[in-house]
Structures are given as structure tokens and as C-alpha cells.
């Protein structure tokens, strides 16, 4: 029993502890090389959390990162690399903003329609790569990268003043979404307002956990990712699972831009945030495709983003936070690979040890009988 518990703890805790240790050491080295004290930088970043709206900003940003990480993780479950989350979320946010600004609907219904439009656009844009992958064998990496570039051109066309855009000063945006289509948040006074979509993101995380661990679809999804051949032998349609996995990934990706669109900006502009899709890849790796791990990675990433603003006050370049983010991801990948190889080696040693104990003298092959002649003397083998 103790051995089983020790093995479970080692498998669960050893990799995260190693990752945190590696990350802390490498970040400290980076700070020392830049001529700054690691402890001072850390203390300033932690103290910044209690200042102004930083804590609320971290939670809001973490919700955006969490949605992006979930979208990437859904593809990873099938060993599919949906690098197109960036284009899917941007195009979905743009079209949802156009729809939300053009339609006048009752409250709640208006918000739901905007969310549904974003989900459908994200899924539809990912569906192009899904069909190419399933029916033509086109790598989803190549197709989604190309679709990212195409989405940029489509967005530029959609928000032109002669299509759906509105020129306001030097900026172009969609028509603002009326109050009936906005997603209300929780106001904390001077501390800021928590986006209402934060709770939607949390609910999606619960749904992701339930789907993977408690449904037949989740089992088939993971089985197809682990071994398509074995899954097909068990009656799973691998082509269908490929299409569904990318459609689900795109649907969640379509919601990445909604927390800020419905909770703060209320319109899509040329200056709307970018890069969340690529950040989601790092966060999915950081969280090992686990909903709790992705949540922790999202909070850490948001903390490094927002708290790093205070580094300028003590003369530390804020770009050091970007180094910390990259080092953290690399540390996690290295730590889990080290633990994986260690566990594999330990299993091999265990199997070899059990085999040597099980095979005793009774299991050894019988000795070769000696040939004798009629007088009992050994005969010569010719």
C-alpha cells in the first residue's frame, strides 16, 4: 500500500515540483544576468497584486487564457495541433460584434445570440481544417496556419467603413453593442469589475472535465488520440472523431474574445487584442491538458502579465516577465519528460526483477540427455 501511495505521489507531484524548481532557478539566473535582484523583482510583483485593479485584471485575463487553453487542449486530446485558435477567435469576435451591433434584441436573448454567433463562426472556421484533415489528409498545422492569415484579411474587409465598419477618429470599429447585448459583470468598486464571462469559462472547464472523464465521447476522444488503430478496432470512427474534435476546439476558440468584447470593449476595432490563440498553446502545455492545470497556468500567465507592470518602478525591465513565461513552459516540458523516462525505466526494472524471481530452477530447461552405447559408455556424436 505504501509503495502504491509513494508511486502515485511521485507521479503526481514530482514533475510539478521539478518544473517549479527549474523555472525559479532559470528566472533567477536571467535576473542576475540583467543585474537585478530576483527577490526584489518577485516582491514587487507580488505586492502589485493588491494595488488598484491588478487582482481583477488578473482574473479577467486568466479567463481569456483559460478559454484559449481549453480550445488547444481539445485538439491535443486527439493529437491534433490546432494552431489556428488565433484566427478562429479573432474572426469569431469580429463577426459576433457585427451581429451584436446590427441587431436589436431583448436582454439576455441578445447576449445569447452574440455568444452563439461567435461559437458557430469559430467552429465553422475550424471545420475547414477538420474536413481537409479527415477527407484529404492535409496536416491541420499547415491548414490552420493558412487560415490564420486568411482570417486577418477577412477581418480587414469586414470592418471597412463601406462594409460593416464605422470610422471614429483615426480608428475603425464595428457598431457598438447595445446594453441589452452586453454581459454584466460583478463590480468591486475601485478594484474593478469581474467579467461575467469568467463564470462561463469556469463552467466550460467543468464541462471539459466531465466530458473527458464521465462520457463515452470523452473516452473515444482520448482512445482515438492514443491509438487510432486500436480505437478503430473497437468500433470508433477515427475520421468522425477528428472532425468533431476540431469543431469543438474551434467552438471554444470562438469564445476567447467574448470576455473583453461583451464585458469591456463592446465593439471590435483595429486595436482589439491579438495573440491569445498562441498563448493558449503554451498554457495547454503548461497545464498538461488538465482543466485544473490549465486554470493554474492561466492564472500564472495572467499574474506575470499584469504584475510585471510594476517592475519599471524598481528599474527592472518588464520584458523579464516574457522570459519567465517562456522559461516556465520549457521547464514544465523538460520536467515531465524527465519524470516520464524515469517512470518508464522504473517499470522496466520492476518487470525484470519480477521475472527473475518468478523463474526458478523448476522453470529452467531440462539438461540435454547424454547419449550412451549398449555398454553404458558415452557414445560419440557423429
Amino acid at each position: 500500500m505504501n509503495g502504491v501511495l509513494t508511486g502515485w505521489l511521485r507521479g503526481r507531484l514530482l514533475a510539478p515540483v521539478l518544473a517549479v524548481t527549474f523555472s525559479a532557478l532559470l528566472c533567477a539566473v536571467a535576473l542576475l544576468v540583467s543585474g537585478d535582484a530576483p527577490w526584489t523583482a518577485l516582491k514587487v510583483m507580488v505586492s502589485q497584486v493588491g494595488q488598484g485593479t491588478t487582482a481583477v485584471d488578473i482574473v479577467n485575463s486568466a479567463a481569456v487564457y483559460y478559454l484559449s487553453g481549453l480550445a488547444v487542449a481539445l485538439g491535443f486530446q486527439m493529437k491534433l495541433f490546432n494552431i489556428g485558435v488565433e484566427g478562429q477567435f479573432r474572426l469569431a469576435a469580429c463577426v459576433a460584434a457585427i451581429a451584436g451591433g446590427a441587431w436589436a434584441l431583448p436582454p439576455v436573448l441578445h447576449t445569447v445570440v452574440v455568444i452563439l454567433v461567435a461559437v458557430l463562426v469559430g467552429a465553422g472556421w475550424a471545420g475547414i481544417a477538420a474536413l481537409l484533415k479527415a477527407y484529404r489528409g492535409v496536416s491541420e498545422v499547415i491548414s490552420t496556419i493558412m487560415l490564420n492569415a486568411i482570417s486577418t484579411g477577412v477581418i480587414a474587409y469586414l470592418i471597412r467603413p463601406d462594409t460593416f465598419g464605422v470610422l471614429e477618429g483615426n480608428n475603425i470599429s464595428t457598431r457598438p453593442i447595445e446594453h441589452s447585448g452586453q454581459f454584466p459583470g460583478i463590480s468591486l468598486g475601485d478594484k474593478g469589475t469581474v467579467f461575467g464571462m469568467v463564470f462561463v469559462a469556469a463552467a466550460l472547464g467543468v464541462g471539459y472535465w466531465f466530458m473527458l472523464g464521465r462520457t463515452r465521447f470523452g473516452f473515444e476522444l482520448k482512445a482515438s488520440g492514443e491509438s487510432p488503430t486500436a480505437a478503430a478496432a473497437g468500433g470508433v470512427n477515427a475520421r468522425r472523431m477528428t472532425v468533431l474534435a476540431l469543431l469543438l476546439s474551434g467552438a471554444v476558440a470562438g469564445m476567447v474574445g467574448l470576455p473583453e468584447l461583451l464585458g469591456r470593449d463592446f465593439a471590435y476595432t483595429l486595436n482589439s487584442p491579438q495573440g491569445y490563440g498562441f498563448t493558449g498553446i503554451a498554457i495547454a502545455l503548461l497545464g498538461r491538458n488538465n482543466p485544473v492545470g490549465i486554470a493554474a497556468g492561466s492564472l500564472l500567465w495572467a499574474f506575470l502579465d499584469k504584475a510585471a507592470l510594476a517592475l519599471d518602478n524598481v528599474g527592472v525591465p518588464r520584458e523579464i516577465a516574457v522570459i519567465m513565461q517562456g522559461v516556465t513552459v520549457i521547464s514544465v516540458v523538460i520536467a515531465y519528460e524527465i519524470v516520464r523516462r524515469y517512470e518508464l525505466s522504473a517499470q522496466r526494472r520492476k518487470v525484470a526483477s519480477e521475472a527473475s524471481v518468478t523463474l526458478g530452477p523448476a522453470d529452467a530447461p531440462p539438461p540435454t540427455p547424454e547419449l550412451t552405447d549398449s555398454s553404458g559408455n558415452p557414445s560419440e556424436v557423429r
Side-chain angles (χ1 to χ4, degrees):
M1 181 66 181
N2 290 335
V4 173
L5 180 60
T6 302
W8 184 86
L9 290 175
R10 183 176 64 236
R12 293 284 184 175
L13 299 180
L14 182 57
V17 169
L18 285 177
V20 171
T21 303
F22 291 160
S23 177
L25 290 175
L26 292 175
C27 291
V29 170
L31 285 166
L32 289 173
V33 169
S34 66
D36 302 301
W39 177 250
T40 301
L42 178 62
K43 184 169 63 175
V44 169
M45 293 177 68
V46 172
S47 63
Q48 178 65 21
V49 176
Q51 304 296 321
T53 62
T54 303
V56 172
D57 291 341
I58 289 173
V59 173
N60 290 337
S61 293
V64 177
Y65 292 146
Y66 190 62
L67 290 170
S68 183
L70 285 180
V72 176
L74 279 165
F76 279 166
Q77 292 292 343
M78 268 284 293
K79 300 298 188 291
L80 297 171
F81 194 177
N82 183 11
I83 204 172
V85 170
E86 179 72 11
Q88 292 153 19
F89 104 78
R90 291 183 60 206
L91 183 61
C94 179
V95 176
I98 292 172
W103 297 335
L105 298 172
V108 180
L109 177 61
H110 196 171
T111 305
V112 171
V113 168
V114 173
I115 294 174
L116 286 177
V117 169
V119 169
L120 291 175
V121 172
W125 201 245
I128 299 173
L131 295 175
L132 289 173
K133 173 71 173 181
Y135 292 95
R136 287 294 179 265
V138 178
S139 170
E140 74 281 0
V141 175
I142 302 300
S143 59
T144 51
I145 288 176
M146 295 299 101
L147 287 168
N148 281 344
I150 295 172
S151 67
T152 300
V154 173
I155 292 169
Y157 171 76
L158 290 176
I159 63 174
R160 290 172 54 184
D162 56 347
T163 51
F164 299 102
V166 177
L167 183 61
E168 295 185 358
N170 295 325
N171 196 10
I172 299 176
S173 73
T174 60
R175 288 183 175 82
I177 299 174
E178 297 296 332
H179 185 73
S180 60
Q182 299 171 12
F183 202 119
I186 298 178
S187 176
L188 300 179
D190 295 338
K191 296 297 183 180
T193 300
V194 178
F195 293 155
M197 286 294 295
V198 168
F199 304 99
V200 175
L204 282 176
V206 175
Y208 173 75
W209 165 82
F210 183 82
M211 181 195 72
L212 290 181
R214 297 291 187 274
T215 66
R216 178 184 177 85
F217 176 78
F219 172 78
E220 292 180 349
L221 188 70
K222 293 187 291 185
S224 300
E226 290 296 331
S227 176
T229 304
V236 179
N237 189 327
R239 177 179 294 178
R240 171 177 169 271
M241 294 306 299
T242 297
V243 173
L244 289 177
L246 283 175
L247 286 177
L248 279 175
S249 179
V252 177
M255 303 180 68
V256 171
L258 294 183
E260 294 176 336
L261 176 66
L262 298 180
R264 185 190 65 196
D265 300 333
F266 312 123
Y268 191 90
T269 71
L270 292 176
N271 300 323
S272 290
Q274 303 179 19
Y276 291 147
F278 300 117
T279 302
I281 298 172
I283 291 175
L285 292 172
L286 194 59
R288 306 296 294 178
N289 301 329
N290 182 282
V292 178
I294 295 173
S298 300
L299 285 170
L300 174 61
W301 208 274
F303 164 75
L304 292 174
D305 267 348
K306 303 302 180 182
L309 300 176
L311 292 177
D312 288 337
N313 299 333
V314 293
V316 178
R318 70 174 65 177
E319 289 75 16
I320 199 70
V322 179
I323 297 176
M324 291 180 182
Q325 290 170 336
V327 163
T328 301
V329 175
I330 293 174
S331 299
V332 168
V333 172
I334 293 175
Y336 273 92
E337 181 62 19
I338 291 174
V339 172
R340 186 188 70 83
R341 295 190 178 188
Y342 174 80
E343 292 290 340
L344 184 60
S345 177
Q347 290 177 6
R348 288 174 176 171
R349 290 195 301 268
K350 181 179 179 181
V351 170
S353 175
E354 291 177 350
S356 64
V357 172
T358 303
L359 293 177
D363 299 305
T368 303
E370 187 177 22
L371 299 178
T372 59
D373 56 18
S374 58
S375 61
N377 297 319
S379 62
E380 182 180 357
V381 178
R382 301 184 185 277

